Amino acid sequence: MKSNHVDYIFLFSVIILSLFGLIMVYSASNVVALEKYHDSLYFFKRQALFLGFSFIIMILIIKINISKLEKYVTVIFFFCLILLLIVLI
C-alpha cells in the first residue's frame, strides 16, 4: 500500500528556505570568492550544485515505499546515530 501523498506546503517551504540560503551564501561570500578564486559566484555555484544533488536525492527518497524499510529500521537508526557521533569528532 503505497501512499503518493506529498505535503506541498512543506515542499514549498523547503524550496523557499533553500533559495534563501543560496542568496545568503552569495551575499556572505562573493567578495572573498572574487579575491581568492577570481569568481564571485564560486561558493554560490558549489552550494547550488549540492542543493541540486540534494533535491534529486529527496525526489528518490519520496518514491521509496516506507513499508519496505520497516525491517531495516534498527540498522537505519544505528547508522544515523553513528553519523551524529561522527559530527562530534
Side-chain angles (χ1 to χ4, degrees), residues 29-89:
S29 65
N30 65 348
V31 174
V32 174
L34 184 61
E35 290 176 2
K36 191 170 184 178
Y37 299 105
H38 306 293
D39 180 12
S40 64
L41 295 174
Y42 178 77
F43 294 112
F44 178 83
K45 288 186 229 178
R46 288 177 51 98
Q47 188 73 18
L49 180 71
F50 291 125
L51 183 63
F53 286 144
S54 65
F55 277 128
I56 290 170
I57 292 170
M58 180 181 66
I59 290 169
L60 293 174
I61 289 174
I62 285 173
K63 296 188 180 291
I64 292 176
N65 190 352
I66 300 280
S67 63
K68 290 183 181 179
L69 294 177
E70 286 178 352
K71 58 185 170 184
Y72 302 112
V73 73
T74 307
V75 174
I76 293 170
F77 172 75
F78 283 111
F79 178 71
C80 291
L81 190 65
I82 289 169
L83 289 177
L84 283 171
L85 291 174
I86 290 173
V87 170
L88 295 175
I89 296 175

Side-chain angles (χ1 to χ4, degrees), residues 6-22 51 55 58:
V6 176
D7 188 356
Y8 290 107
I9 294 173
F10 181 68
L11 184 61
F12 180 72
S13 300
V14 168
I15 291 170
I16 293 298
L17 285 172
S18 298
L19 292 176
F20 183 71
L22 273 177
L51 183 63
F55 277 128
M58 180 181 66

